Amino acid sequence: AINWLNKGYHFTADENILKQCGFLFSNIASCYNNIDKMDSAFYFIEQALKYGNMDENLTVQTNALNIRADMFIKEKKYHLAENDLKAALALREKAGDMLMLSADMAQLSSFYASTNQTDKGITIAQKGIALIKNTNNLSKLLFLYNALAENYQKAHLTNEYAQTLEKIISIKDTLYG
């Protein structure tokens, strides 16, 4: 994937075209992140953010922030990761994409569970669930309930954890039944 994406990157040096290629840079950064080549990953994610800002493309910017947050998590720079995840949420909200906003809320909630900030994780997951509960998007709802369950488990809230697991089973029964 890196070879193909780099071919796309090297195809043009025209700044006007490059500013429309933020996704290309995000994808290259994600690939390098996946193989732990962090210097390259950070270089390309900064390019994605640069060109996403130049093009005023909120989706590119949001995706790049989420990818960079994952990179910061790998490096145990949790404060920087949290900042990126929150900034991504704000951009997604500005864009008005409620389904992707709910997915980002689940990602932030899961981050909070992994960093033992379960009060924050529970709150953001519950907000996400309330946001999309009536959309019938069961896959996003499942993602949010999984993040909520993760936080309840970490917080040792066994009754809430059990109730959330039952809700997850119910959603899966609907999806696969």
Side-chain angles (χ1 to χ4, degrees):
I2 291 170
N3 289 337
W4 279 106
L5 292 167
N6 275 322
K7 283 181 184 183
Y9 165 58
H10 293 294
F11 183 70
T12 182
D14 184 342
E15 194 83 4
N16 289 320
I17 295 174
L18 284 176
K19 79 176 190 179
Q20 298 171 21
C21 297
F23 285 115
L24 174 68
F25 293 108
S26 289
N27 286 327
I28 294 171
S30 181
C31 289
Y32 279 121
N33 182 36
N34 288 336
I35 61 171
D36 295 321
K37 295 203 176 206
M38 301 312 286
D39 288 343
S40 295
F42 276 108
Y43 171 78
F44 283 106
I45 207 64
E46 294 307 322
Q47 296 302 305
L49 288 165
K50 171 186 164 184
Y51 290 115
N53 286 326
M54 285 174 65
D55 197 36
E56 298 179 2
N57 188 320
L58 297 179
T59 301
V60 168
Q61 294 172 50
T62 302
N63 291 344
L65 287 167
N66 283 324
I67 292 167
R68 190 172 71 180
D70 185 55
M71 293 159 53
F72 284 140
I73 290 167
K74 272 188 172 180
E75 295 195 334
K76 298 181 179 14
K77 296 178 181 176
Y78 300 122
H79 181 69
L80 294 173
E82 182 179 11
N83 288 344
D84 276 0
L85 291 168
K86 286 180 172 180
L89 264 181
L91 288 174
R92 196 76 81 184
E93 205 164 2
K94 185 177 178 182
D97 187 345
M98 292 302 120
L99 289 178
M100 289 308 296
L101 175 63
S102 69
D104 291 347
M105 292 170 118
Q107 183 176 355
L108 180 58
S109 177
S110 187
F111 166 78
Y112 283 139
S114 71
T115 57
N116 294 314
Q117 300 179 70
T118 56
D119 288 344
K120 290 180 182 179
I122 291 166
T123 300
I124 196 75
Q126 288 173 335
K127 283 183 184 178
I129 290 166
L131 179 71
I132 65 155
K133 197 167 195 160
N134 295 325
T135 66
N136 287 330
N137 190 312
L138 297 180
S139 63
K140 297 286 190 258
L141 205 51
L142 190 58
F143 191 25
L144 283 156
Y145 275 113
N146 279 315
L148 182 60
E150 188 179 0
N151 279 280
Y152 283 145
Q153 183 182 32
K154 282 273 187 140
H156 304 290
L157 297 170
T158 54
N159 288 338
E160 292 85 348
Y161 178 56
Q163 291 170 358
T164 305
L165 290 178
E166 287 177 10
K167 187 67 179 172
I168 290 168
I169 291 168
S170 173
I171 293 170
K172 286 183 176 183
D173 284 346
T174 303
L175 278 171
Y176 306 117

